[in-house]
Amino acid sequence: MKKVLCLIFFLLCMTGCEKEAFIETSVYKDEQKLITITYPITYMKKLDKAINKYIDSQKDDDTVDELNVDYSFNIVSNRYVNITLEVMKRKDNETFYDIKTFVFDKQKKDFLTINNLVSENSIKTIDQIVQKKININTSYDEVTFDENNLYFYFNSGHGIEKVSVPTIDTEFLLDLNLEKEPIVQYQENYKEHIIDPAKPVVALTFDDGPSKYTDDILDILDENDINATFFVIGNKVKYYAKTINKSIANGNEIGNHTYNHKSLSNLKLDEMLMQINMTQDIIFSETGYTPIYLRPSYGNTNSLLKEKTPLEIILWNVDPEDWKYKNSKVIANRVISKTKDESIILLHDTKKRTRDALKIIIPKLKEKGFQFVTISELKEIQMLRAKMGLDS
Ligand code: ZN
């Protein structure tokens, strides 16, 4: 009987069990180097292997000061996976760019090239459109598409240029039978937490998300009837819109953690503001919510950022280094032993061990009398305490 069940399960998996893709962000920081890599894990072996191979080749360069890999990920007609990986490298104050695209047919389990997407005749038309917009002699190796356009990517040396060509202007070869799931926007739900200013408060904050662990973390917070603040990375907001909407609906606060986690202090003012504003815009368009706090990636700030940011900068004062310590008990102990009244704790909702550590941290801090607050609530309490002469 067991064997039969296993066989049925196996057959079901062969036909319909598809693991859902997710977006992974890995952040590394030391004295010499800043690395942030955001990329999709698709559970399509051939595709993941190619993505990893490309990322490894970028990481191989040991001489860079900052490496940033950003992604876009789009599945058309539930069948064609379109991925771009956009690379920025900084070396001795010079910036270098690279772009790599992957178009993968889930059904055929193989990559598609421009020749699979359009007829040979169309290449001439594409040539005309592209040359009008950008004067670079180039190949069309780096291509993606969606329901309406083909997108071609070129490295101009100063950055990546993207040119769109309407599919309607070409002899497009794929048959796109469209299905799309609408995203539900949740209503903001202010939970009335009664906070006693005479008792200690603590703010849990989560950076670098959302990720596949964020939903679990939201559930843990909800079960404990507490809220936290999530500083999200803009380039993942669209993919995890459902999660962020759930987070808001549960009463959590959302903050801005830049668009693709570049070190803001290394950017010119317009790029700096773009990192902040693009994130504000995408959060608003996916949720109707407008963050008021910024946590700069790597915690890096400078006078230009402090002067020009439209958002209030929030750093932290307790860092258990959950990206470094691999054990959830160690992380939990580091948080519990360092937390004081008004602590802002830096965690990452991209780690399973952090999710597990929360199950220890929350009850222990509650036991010690701490009240959990969002950053906005922390600010309110601090103001109230100042008025009441309660501040230390
Ligand atoms: Zn970060």
Side-chain angles (χ1 to χ4, degrees):
M1 186 59 187
K2 243 185 188 171
K3 262 187 190 165
V4 177
L5 277 176
C6 282
L7 185 67
I8 291 171
F9 185 68
F10 176 72
L11 286 175
L12 277 173
C13 281
M14 290 288 288
T15 51
C17 276
E18 202 177 90
K19 265 194 177 174
E20 208 180 319
F22 67 95
I23 311 298
E24 171 97 345
T25 306
S26 80
V27 178
Y28 175 85
K29 177 186 181 178
D30 69 19
E31 306 278 290
Q32 280 88 38
K33 205 181 267 186
L34 304 174
I35 301 177
T36 297
I37 295 171
T38 310
Y39 65 104
I41 293 180
T42 66
Y43 293 113
M44 288 164 238
K45 241 184 176 174
K46 199 170 178 175
L47 178 56
D48 284 341
K49 208 174 155 189
I51 292 170
N52 278 315
K53 196 176 161 196
Y54 179 73
I55 289 171
D56 285 344
S57 74
Q58 295 301 323
K59 285 203 282 196
D60 270 350
D61 188 347
D62 244 3
T63 61
V64 293
D65 305 322
E66 184 179 352
L67 168 65
N68 187 284
V69 181
D70 192 4
Y71 81 103
S72 78
F73 176 71
N74 186 24
I75 301 181
V76 181
S77 295
N78 211 13
R79 174 169 173 180
Y80 303 105
V81 185
N82 286 264
I83 292 171
T84 63
L85 295 178
E86 195 169 332
V87 178
M88 183 217 69
K89 281 183 195 177
R90 256 184 350 95
K91 219 189 259 190
D92 305 324
N93 283 328
E94 253 195 279
T95 311
F96 303 89
Y97 300 93
D98 196 31
I99 181 91
K100 178 79 190 154
T101 62
F102 304 88
V103 180
F104 194 74
D105 183 342
K106 276 165 80 175
Q107 209 168 312
K108 290 188 176 157
K109 293 191 170 57
D110 208 355
F111 294 97
L112 303 180
T113 67
I114 181 73
N115 300 319
N116 306 117
L117 301 179
V118 295
S119 72
E120 223 168 284
N121 289 334
S122 301
I123 305 270
K124 272 183 209 148
T125 322
I126 291 169
D127 246 332
Q128 284 167 358
I129 297 174
V130 169
Q131 291 304 327
K132 242 188 233 168
K133 292 184 183 170
I134 184 170
N135 204 3
I136 296 181
N137 249 345
T138 184
S139 67
Y140 297 117
D141 293 341
E142 305 311 332
V143 57
T144 60
F145 68 93
D146 63 17
E147 293 81 358
N148 306 311
N149 291 295
L150 288 153
Y151 301 97
F152 298 98
Y153 303 83
F154 312 103
N155 187 351
S156 73
H158 310 289
I160 302 301
E161 308 273 353
K162 178 180 175 184
V163 178
S164 51
V165 175
T167 42
I168 208 164
D169 293 344
T170 67
E171 286 171 47
F172 193 68
L173 299 175
L174 305 180
D175 179 23
L176 307 179
N177 193 2
L178 304 176
E179 274 171 62
K180 250 197 175 169
E181 213 186 306
I183 287 206
V184 186
Q185 284 205 358
Y186 290 84
Q187 282 303 309
E188 205 164 339
N189 163 17
Y190 290 107
K191 259 187 219 158
E192 268 310 321
H193 288 137
I194 298 162
I195 305 159
D196 181 350
K199 289 184 184 157
V201 292
V202 58
L204 297 178
T205 66
F206 296 91
D207 286 12
D208 297 355
S211 84
K212 64 171 174 172
Y213 300 113
T214 308
D215 278 296
D216 283 357
I217 289 175
L218 293 177
D219 291 343
I220 294 169
L221 297 178
D222 216 34
E223 282 157 21
N224 283 282
D225 196 29
I226 64 171
N227 286 124
T229 305
F230 291 83
F231 289 96
V232 303
I233 301 181
N235 67 4
K236 291 195 284 191
V237 169
K238 208 167 189 155
Y239 191 76
Y240 287 106
K242 225 170 160 177
T243 301
I244 298 178
N245 275 298
K246 175 176 158 185
S247 183
I248 296 165
N250 285 4
N252 297 296
E253 181 153 35
I254 304 295
N256 184 322
H257 193 43
T258 75
Y259 191 75
N260 53 23
H261 212 268
K262 281 179 188 156
S263 176
L264 296 182
S265 52
N266 290 327
L267 298 180
K268 289 182 204 132
L269 179 63
D270 59 336
E271 293 172 315
M272 197 184 255
L273 292 175
M274 220 161 79
Q275 286 279 332
I276 299 170
N277 294 335
M278 276 167 69
T279 307
Q280 290 296 98
D281 290 349
I282 192 144
I283 293 172
F284 182 77
S285 77
E286 294 297 324
T287 66
Y289 179 101
T290 305
I292 55 173
Y293 299 115
L294 169 72
R295 174 164 288 162
S297 26
Y298 306 108
N300 285 354
T301 60
N302 61 11
S303 50
L304 184 66
L305 175 66
K306 284 177 190 162
E307 189 192 327
K308 301 287 185 188
T309 173
L311 306 178
E312 186 179 345
I313 295 174
I314 301 290
L315 297 176
W316 57 86
N317 41 39
V318 173
D319 180 6
E321 298 178 293
D322 61 346
W323 56 275
K324 194 159 95 186
Y325 293 95
K326 308 267 186 266
N327 183 305
S328 56
K329 279 184 194 149
V330 173
I331 294 165
N333 286 336
R334 285 174 64 85
V335 171
I336 293 158
S337 64
K338 288 179 181 179
T339 299
K340 294 183 198 141
D341 186 22
E342 298 190 9
S343 282
I344 299 176
I345 300 170
L346 170 64
L347 296 163
H348 296 87
D349 53 324
T350 51
K351 308 261 180 266
K352 184 168 175 276
R353 53 186 183 259
T354 301
R355 176 198 71 185
D356 297 340
L358 281 175
K359 294 176 190 165
I360 308 170
I361 294 167
I362 297 169
K364 196 74 201 171
L365 290 181
K366 273 190 169 180
E367 202 183 295
K368 288 183 163 194
F370 280 97
Q371 309 169 92
F372 291 83
V373 291
T374 62
I375 294 297
S376 289
E377 287 170 335
L378 176 65
K379 296 268 162 188
E380 272 173 45
I381 281 288
Q382 285 170 334
M383 257 164 35
L384 191 66
R385 285 175 170 179
K387 266 190 206 162
M388 296 165 71
L390 278 174
D391 54 330
S392 43

